[in-house]
């Protein structure tokens, strides 16, 4: 249920150190956690949040269930999908967005470390990031 901790951990480690810790000043970066703990915490908060999901063949459907529940709890949540089973080609990715509706806000194609850090900075710069 926790997903691949190594890949998500690497994303978080990069985000924590990016631009001398700029992301840390703006965001609470949590450890990889099980969905139940995440949902319980999400229910106690207001405002935007970000959910990172790492898609592998065996985890894609589970990740969509997690995304669905997170969206029910917090309609403002930004749902980010990455990993090897996230579509890589532009047309495939567009079809995926169309098929999955509001369960995908961002699809990271390729390496996600810098993408995540820059996305978090863009989301918190007050300019209303266009994801």
């Amino acid at each position: 249920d926790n997903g691949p901790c190594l890949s998500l951990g690497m994303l978080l480690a990069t985000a924590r150190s990016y631009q001398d810790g700029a992301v840390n000043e703006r965001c609470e970066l949590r450890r990889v956690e099980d969905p139940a703990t995440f949902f319980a915490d999400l229910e106690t908060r207001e405002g935007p949040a970000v959910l990172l999901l790492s898609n592998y063949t065996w985890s894609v459907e589970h990740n969509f269930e997690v995304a669905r529940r997170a969206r029910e709890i917090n309609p403002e949540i930004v749902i980010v999908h990455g990993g090897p089973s996230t579509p890589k080609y532009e047309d495939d990715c567009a079809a995926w967005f169309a098929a999955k509706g509001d369960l995908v806000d961002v699809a990271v194609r390729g390496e996600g470390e810098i993408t995540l850090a820059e996305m978090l900075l863009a989301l918190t710069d007050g300019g209303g990031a266009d994801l």
Side-chain angles (χ1 to χ4, degrees):
D1 282 351
N2 290 353
C5 295
L6 178 60
S7 59
L8 290 170
M10 291 171 62
L11 291 168
L12 293 171
T14 300
R16 285 186 178 101
S17 64
Y18 190 73
Q19 292 184 356
D20 297 321
V23 175
N24 284 325
E25 295 172 12
R26 299 181 188 184
C27 300
E28 175 189 353
L29 298 172
R30 297 171 60 106
R31 293 179 179 203
V32 176
E33 59 191 303
D34 65 273
T37 303
F38 174 73
F39 297 147
D41 182 72
L42 190 61
E43 289 174 343
T44 68
R45 297 176 182 254
E46 293 181 15
V50 176
L51 171 62
L52 305 177
L53 298 165
S54 189
N55 293 325
Y56 289 78
T57 302
W58 59 85
S59 66
V60 173
E61 291 309 314
H62 177 262
N63 286 345
F64 282 122
E65 288 303 316
V66 170
R68 184 173 290 107
R69 178 70 181 122
R71 182 74 78 202
E72 289 171 359
I73 295 169
N74 183 343
E76 295 180 75
I77 196 162
V78 176
I79 301 172
V80 181
H81 288 265
S85 291
T86 301
K88 302 292 184 248
Y89 299 105
E90 190 172 337
D91 289 344
D92 293 340
C93 202
W96 198 60
F97 270 89
K100 295 304 178 182
D102 70 344
L103 300 180
V104 181
D105 294 312
V106 176
V108 177
R109 300 181 297 155
E111 299 297 322
E113 285 80 359
I114 302 303
T115 301
L116 173 62
E118 290 180 355
M119 181 195 74
L120 292 172
L121 290 175
L123 286 171
T124 59
D125 76 356
D130 179 8
L131 299 176

